[in-house]
Amino acid sequence: MRRGSSDRVGAAHPTGLTAAERERIASGAAHGDWLTLGKSGRLSLYAPTDEGLLRWTEVTAGGPEWSGPHFVAAPGLSHLAVAQGPDTYVHFLGRRERAAADGARSVDIVHAIQYQTGLAFTDWRSLGNPDKDREQGRQVGAPVGAIAPDGTVHVFVRNAQRGLSLRREGPGGKWKAWEDLHGIGIDALCAPVALATGRIEVCAAAETGVFLWRQLEPGGDFTGPRGFSLRPAPGTVSAVESGPERATFFWTDADSGGAAAWRVGRWPAVLGGSPADRPYAALRTSLDGYDCVVLAYRDRDGSAVLGVGGTEDEDNGFWWYTLAESCQGAPALARDGHGRVVMALIDPDGVPKVARQENTAGLTFGQWHRL
């Protein structure tokens, strides 16, 4: 595997750096919404590093200056995912590996929250492991989060049996027990999406195709998994709410090598582009008065790629642009405090870079800014 292609915390840093420089270097890209917009209108960017994570924050809404990095300790963290709810609280989920008293390794899932932009995190809380057997528990996958409109946190992981497990908050903030949502042979990372009506849907690539789980009502049980004979490439599935009570899922098609968009009740739409090697970053936004979806991904050569097309209008084409930037892991997309699209990536040397939408027709980014 080429250096910089892993999103595992603790990947090798560039050599020849001082200790102070290493403290500012990310070890990859986090999973999920690692570029977030707070109530203050300021963006924050989060990236894993050795024994914790780093945070950069805009000094004023809309930039261009950023403060940071601020280091948050998280010993033993092997994977980091970031999710944000409508209340703008930022949730951090990690897969933690630790040595027990007898020297054996154990794995648990941990959770922390940042309530306000640029301020402190809560302590890391262990959510345990869906597999009670310690040896089997070491096979649990990385967590993925979805935050319902009422703020309820949902944590999904692939369990040792390669099915899907869920742990979520109950009334009053007390966590419910782990739930087995079943499935078999699923990919390491599922793609949940929280719909504005309160329901959550989850899509996962599997050895036999695609599995889909759906809540029938907000806060309710999950039905499924329902299987579909489709061919997504593992590790590339992502999701966006594309209409009332509708989610569109994006992935790289294993047969054609290009991007595909799929909604329940229709065949996948072919979008073109080169193969991705991580999940797509997906953002729904308005461009020149049109409802659009912006996609960003890392291709197999390590280059960042950007795509734009009409929301639920895939048949009219997607426009792809290979950027002159290389990155680790998947890029991130968000809107800043002025509504402009911002793209972030972690470059091969572990340095975050951001580019902001210019005031022109279509979607054009200005100069990349190293944090």
Side-chain angles (χ1 to χ4, degrees):
M1 181 178 292
R2 74 172 61 86
R3 184 177 65 81
S5 67
S6 175
D7 57 1
R8 180 181 175 86
V9 176
H13 291 321
T15 58
L17 299 179
T18 67
E21 287 172 330
R22 284 196 297 271
E23 290 176 356
R24 300 177 62 90
I25 297 299
S27 57
H31 179 75
D33 303 326
W34 54 271
L35 181 67
T36 65
L37 180 65
K39 287 183 179 178
S40 65
R42 292 182 293 152
L43 290 169
S44 293
L45 184 153
Y46 309 91
T49 192
D50 290 342
E51 297 298 298
L53 63 94
L54 298 171
R55 179 188 70 201
W56 289 260
T57 305
E58 282 186 320
V59 175
T60 58
E65 298 301 321
W66 295 68
S67 65
H70 172 74
F71 175 74
V72 179
L77 208 65
S78 64
H79 293 271
L80 174 69
V82 185
Q84 186 179 31
D87 54 12
T88 74
Y89 298 166
V90 183
H91 297 262
F92 304 90
L93 298 166
R95 181 185 183 275
R96 181 171 63 180
E97 299 181 3
R98 295 185 294 178
D102 60 3
R105 305 293 296 181
S106 64
V107 170
D108 65 342
I109 304 302
V110 294
H111 171 239
I113 309 172
Q114 179 187 270
Y115 290 107
Q116 289 183 272
T117 301
L119 297 186
F121 288 34
T122 65
D123 292 335
W124 291 91
R125 173 176 179 170
S126 176
L127 302 180
N129 189 309
D131 292 287
K132 301 301 182 183
D133 180 84
R134 186 168 64 185
E135 184 174 349
Q136 285 192 335
R138 290 199 294 269
Q139 302 175 43
V140 72
V144 178
I147 318 300
D150 65 359
T152 301
V153 183
H154 295 67
V155 181
F156 301 92
V157 297
R158 185 183 68 180
N159 55 42
Q161 292 72 41
R162 298 195 69 190
L164 189 65
S165 291
L166 161 69
R167 192 164 189 195
R168 52 178 159 172
E169 288 182 307
K174 185 177 180 179
W175 286 85
K176 296 182 178 181
W178 283 101
E179 304 172 46
D180 185 359
L181 300 185
H182 305 292
I184 186 170
I186 70 168
D187 190 26
L189 294 170
C190 65
V193 57
L195 305 176
T197 55
R199 292 192 311 105
I200 289 177
E201 298 189 0
V202 188
C203 182
E207 295 171 354
T208 56
V210 165
F211 283 133
L212 184 68
W213 294 260
R214 308 178 77 180
Q215 281 180 315
L216 296 180
E217 60 184 10
D221 293 333
F222 283 80
T223 64
R226 182 181 175 189
F228 298 86
S229 297
L230 304 173
R231 292 269 293 158
T236 65
V237 182
S238 63
V240 70
E241 183 175 16
S242 57
E245 280 288 280
R246 290 194 305 278
T248 297
F249 300 96
F250 298 93
W251 59 64
T252 294
D253 181 76
D255 294 322
S256 70
W262 175 71
R263 288 181 293 280
V264 175
R266 59 166 293 166
W267 287 102
V270 177
L271 306 181
S274 56
D277 74 346
R278 290 290 187 275
Y280 293 80
L283 177 70
R284 185 179 174 188
T285 191
S286 177
L287 297 174
D288 301 331
Y290 293 96
D291 187 354
C292 294
V293 169
V294 182
L295 299 178
Y297 67 93
R298 178 189 188 273
D299 71 15
R300 293 176 182 172
D301 293 328
S303 298
V305 181
L306 185 74
V308 181
T311 302
E312 296 192 347
D313 192 24
E314 298 89 2
D315 292 340
N316 277 328
F318 239 76
W319 289 263
W320 297 102
Y321 311 88
T322 300
L323 307 178
E325 298 290 335
S326 297
C327 61
Q328 303 188 51
L333 294 167
R335 285 185 296 270
D336 69 8
H338 300 309
R340 296 171 295 186
V341 178
V342 179
M343 183 175 174
L345 55 83
I346 306 298
D347 78 8
D349 291 329
V351 177
K353 301 174 76 172
V354 296
R356 211 172 298 260
Q357 179 183 5
E358 292 191 317
N359 188 24
T360 59
L363 179 58
T364 303
F365 286 111
Q367 185 176 0
W368 286 90
H369 178 59
R370 289 168 60 93
L371 304 192

